[in-house]
């Protein structure tokens, strides 16, 4: 089985998606948090491993890696661009039984990562995929609700255990 990995150029995507662009104008951190949430949800649904990269080129420091929504989120170190870190991540992850995708609309970066063996996903295409995933999730929830299949606690209990709980509830 091939492992699919999606590396996302965070600020590039924020600048390309209308919803996140508007948020960025109000508060950049909010746009970043929203993207992290969206990509965490997409990772859960798609089964792809998603890695987010944010450029901290002008921010002093050593860079860091955090985990949010089971999603590795990298911040570059001082004087390192997101493109440089993405290229390193592609090189580190490329291998047998792995397919690497990089989500960015930066044409220069697309050519570089393509030369390293990764596939490019333009920001607009990723937005379409995220929206499709959300529609499929909604559809699945609606099907589950309309079919009467509910994942309730008591549906997993045997009749004997249900009877015992009912006795306890009534104080007998």
């Amino acid at each position: 089985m091939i492992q699919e990995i999606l590396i996302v150029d965070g600020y590039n995507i924020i600048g390309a998606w209308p919803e996140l662009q508007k948020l960025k104008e109000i508060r950049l951190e909010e746009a970043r948090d929203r993207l992290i949430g969206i990509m965490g949800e997409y990772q859960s649904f798609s089964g792809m491993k998603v890695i987010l990269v944010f450029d901290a080129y002008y921010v002093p420091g050593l860079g860091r890696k955090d985990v949010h929504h089971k999603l590795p989120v990298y911040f570059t170190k001082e004087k390192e661009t997101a493109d440089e870190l993405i290229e390193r991540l592609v090189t580190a992850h490329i291998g047998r039984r792995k397919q690497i995708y990089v989500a960015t609309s930066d044409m220069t970066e697309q050519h570089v990562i393509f030369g390293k063996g990764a596939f490019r996903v333009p920001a607009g295409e990723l937005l379409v995929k995220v929206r499709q995933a959300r529609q499929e999730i909604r559809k699945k929830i609606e099907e589950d609700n309309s079919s009467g299949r509910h994942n309730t606690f008591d549906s997993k209990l045997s009749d004997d255990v249900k009877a015992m709980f009912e006795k306890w509830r009534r104080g007998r």
Side-chain angles (χ1 to χ4, degrees):
M1 187 168 157
I2 294 177
Q3 180 188 21
E4 293 183 307
I5 300 170
L6 174 64
I7 302 171
V8 179
D9 184 342
Y11 289 132
N12 185 278
I13 299 300
I14 287 172
W17 289 5
E19 171 195 350
L20 297 179
Q21 244 179 353
K22 288 177 189 171
L23 268 178
K24 178 180 116 181
E25 292 170 11
I26 299 166
R27 196 160 166 242
L28 180 62
E29 295 81 20
E30 208 168 309
R32 189 174 55 223
D33 291 345
R34 181 77 183 114
L35 178 61
I36 291 169
I38 290 168
M39 296 316 303
E41 189 177 275
Y42 183 73
Q43 174 177 260
S44 295
F45 179 77
S46 69
M48 291 179 100
K49 177 181 179 181
V50 177
I51 300 170
L52 262 168
V53 176
F54 290 102
D55 197 323
Y57 188 84
Y58 295 108
V59 179
L62 301 172
R64 69 180 199 269
K65 175 188 171 190
D66 298 329
V67 178
H68 300 276
H69 302 279
K70 297 183 180 179
L71 192 73
V73 179
Y74 289 85
F75 293 89
T76 64
K77 56 189 169 195
E78 185 179 4
K79 297 189 183 199
E80 178 183 39
T81 65
D83 293 351
E84 291 169 331
L85 179 53
I86 289 168
E87 290 165 24
R88 271 201 344 266
L89 288 168
V90 167
T91 302
H93 285 89
I94 207 90
R96 294 182 57 188
R97 300 191 179 276
K98 289 185 180 179
Q99 186 57 63
I100 313 295
Y101 299 89
V102 176
T104 183
S105 290
D106 180 332
M107 285 302 286
T108 305
E109 183 62 12
Q110 289 178 2
H111 291 295
V112 171
I113 58 98
F114 192 71
K116 291 183 172 285
F119 291 96
R120 65 183 178 87
V121 179
E125 186 179 324
L126 181 60
L127 181 57
V128 168
K129 288 181 180 205
V130 165
R131 286 178 176 163
Q132 286 173 339
R134 283 182 174 166
Q135 285 177 339
E136 288 180 41
I137 290 168
R138 263 188 245 112
K139 184 179 172 186
K140 176 104 174 85
I141 290 169
E142 287 171 9
E143 286 173 2
D144 287 352
N145 287 340
S146 66
S147 70
R149 289 188 325 203
H150 298 287
N151 190 16
T152 59
F153 176 73
D154 67 335
S155 68
K156 307 291 184 216
L157 301 175
S158 69
D159 290 335
D160 293 342
V161 172
K162 285 181 192 177
M164 181 181 69
F165 282 146
E166 184 61 24
K167 284 180 185 177
W168 286 356
R169 187 179 74 79
R170 294 180 182 268
R172 294 189 222 160

